[in-house]
């Protein structure tokens, strides 16, 4: 199947792109890597009148850590850029663990981090990692910029909080208040498949005590799930076996999977429980070694 006819625009600045979006009056779409939008257009699940290609706008392909530890990812930074990044491995263990598990090498080469979060696929990997890290999206529109927490940005399956004339220009992860740890685990039937279930864990330690925790769940609900109760149960104490078991159980309870060709709902909940316990156990072991 071929996409319906559309007009193509290639602005040279964010301001020009926003003006084109405004002119499009809700019938224009931003194109960055195109790994989500183009397949939807080919199947005619999306039929924008205008495509606004932002790939020629300068200074949007970056990822960096500011002096205060804030981590920033520009709108044109690809999955592959992050997969190969030594900076990411140094500052963001949860994102570093997620990067090589996103889709397949072809998609990772072209697809963008911010575009993936905007796509808001319940089986998308980056949204779970961003929720676990309490990350935000910077949106820019005719009235300027605003910051939207990812927990509020993803409003439902394939839905986000952007206005029709706003562009997501950057993802931001706040600085850590302690020593970071965490990871991402994903069960898939084959390389590049959507997740049967996935879990992102982000921790911050002061000594042996957890001072901040976040857990995001992939593919086990109609949208990315923020397992708040599971994360909060870890804060204020060490990662004991009892604390790990309780958090794993609470995360499984937060999951809302449906039985399908990838597995039963009960199986997917068990995968969540196992993944949370595995990552927390590894973090605890690493803390003991570092002590």
């Amino acid at each position: 199947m071929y996409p319906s006819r559309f007009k193509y625009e290639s602005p040279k600045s964010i301001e020009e792109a926003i003006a084109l979006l405004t002119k499009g009056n809700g019938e224009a779409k931003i194109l960055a890597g195109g790994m989500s939008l183009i397949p939807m257009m080919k199947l005619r699940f999306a039929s924008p009148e205008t495509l606004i290609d932002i790939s020629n706008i300068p200074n949007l392909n970056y990822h960096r850590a500011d002096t205060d530890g804030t981590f920033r990812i520009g709108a044109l930074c690809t999955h592959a850029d992050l997969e190969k990044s030594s900076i990411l491995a140094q500052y963001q263990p949860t994102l570093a663990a997620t990067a090589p598990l996103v889709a397949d090498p072809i998609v990772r080469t072209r697809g963008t981090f911010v575009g993936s979060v905007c796509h808001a696929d319940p089986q998308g990997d980056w949204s779970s990692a961003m929720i676990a890290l309490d990350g935000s999206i910077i949106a820019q529109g005719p009235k300027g910029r605003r910051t939207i927490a990812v927990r509020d940005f993803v409003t439902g399956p394939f839905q986000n909080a952007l206005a029709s004339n706003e562009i997501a220009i950057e993802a931001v992860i706040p600085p850590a208040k302690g020593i970071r740890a965490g990871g991402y685990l994903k069960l898939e039937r084959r390389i590049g498949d959507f997740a049967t279930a996935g879990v992102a864990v982000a921790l911050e330690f002061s000594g042996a005590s957890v001072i901040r925790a976040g857990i995001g769940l992939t593919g086990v609900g109609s949208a990315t799930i923020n397992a708040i109760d599971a994360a909060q149960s870890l804060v204020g104490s060490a990662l004991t076996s009892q604390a790990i078991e309780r958090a794993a159980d609470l995360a499984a309870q937060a999951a809302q999977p449906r039985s399908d060709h990838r597995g039963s709902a009960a199986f997917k909940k068990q995968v969540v429980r196992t993944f949370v316990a595995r990552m927390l156990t590894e973090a605890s072991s690493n803390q003991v070694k570092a002590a």
Side-chain angles (χ1 to χ4, degrees), residues 6-288:
F6 59 88
K7 185 178 180 180
Y8 175 83
E9 299 282 0
S10 181
K12 301 300 186 290
S13 70
I14 294 172
E15 290 75 17
E16 184 184 352
I18 292 170
L20 289 167
L21 275 177
T22 303
K23 182 180 178 181
N25 196 29
E27 298 299 327
K29 291 289 186 182
I30 294 294
L31 176 70
M35 293 296 98
S36 299
L37 180 58
I38 297 302
M40 291 183 70
M41 290 176 63
K42 288 179 69 175
L43 295 171
R44 300 208 177 189
F45 292 150
S47 299
E49 292 181 1
T50 304
L51 273 189
I52 302 170
D53 185 353
I54 65 170
S55 62
N56 290 317
I57 297 178
N59 305 319
L60 288 179
N61 187 0
Y62 61 85
H63 61 282
R64 65 172 185 264
D66 292 346
T67 55
D68 68 349
T70 300
F71 202 84
R72 301 181 183 276
I73 302 172
L76 293 179
C77 180
T78 68
H79 313 306
D81 291 334
L82 296 173
E83 182 182 11
K84 299 171 185 175
S85 171
S86 59
I87 299 173
L88 196 73
Q90 179 181 355
Y91 286 93
Q92 297 292 338
T94 300
L95 295 185
T98 308
L101 299 181
V102 174
D104 56 46
I106 295 174
V107 171
R108 290 199 295 272
T109 298
R110 293 290 304 171
T112 63
F113 179 97
V114 172
S116 178
V117 176
C118 289
H119 187 50
D121 190 330
Q123 292 179 306
D125 304 295
W126 288 126
S127 291
S128 296
M130 284 288 282
I131 280 177
L133 288 160
D134 198 25
S136 301
I137 294 293
I138 306 298
Q140 184 169 334
K143 297 181 180 179
R145 297 187 178 188
R146 65 182 178 122
T147 301
I148 312 168
V150 170
R151 62 178 178 273
D152 302 319
F153 182 78
V154 178
T155 58
F158 306 102
Q159 297 176 343
N160 63 51
L162 288 173
S164 62
N165 57 357
E166 285 185 315
I167 300 175
I169 61 170
E170 185 179 64
V172 179
I173 299 160
K177 296 180 180 179
I179 303 300
R180 284 199 191 275
Y184 185 75
L185 291 175
K186 173 182 177 179
L187 178 64
E188 52 191 346
R189 295 177 302 170
R190 58 184 180 274
I191 297 299
D193 190 20
F194 290 108
T196 299
V199 177
V201 170
L203 304 168
E204 293 175 25
F205 288 93
S206 177
S209 182
V210 177
I211 58 173
R212 188 199 163 275
I215 299 175
L217 308 181
T218 304
V220 288
S222 60
T224 305
I225 293 174
N226 186 1
I228 299 173
D229 291 342
Q232 287 302 309
S233 73
L234 297 167
V235 177
S237 61
L239 287 180
T240 63
S241 57
Q242 293 84 359
I244 291 171
E245 183 177 357
R246 175 169 171 74
D249 286 341
L250 287 171
Q253 291 173 28
Q256 302 168 0
R258 292 183 179 181
S259 297
D260 58 20
H261 61 287
R262 291 187 173 88
S264 68
F267 170 69
K268 293 176 184 180
K269 280 181 173 283
Q270 183 57 34
V271 171
V272 169
R273 182 181 290 107
T274 300
F275 280 176
V276 172
R278 185 179 299 174
M279 282 186 280
L280 293 179
T281 300
E282 181 178 357
S284 176
S285 175
N286 290 339
Q287 285 300 111
V288 170

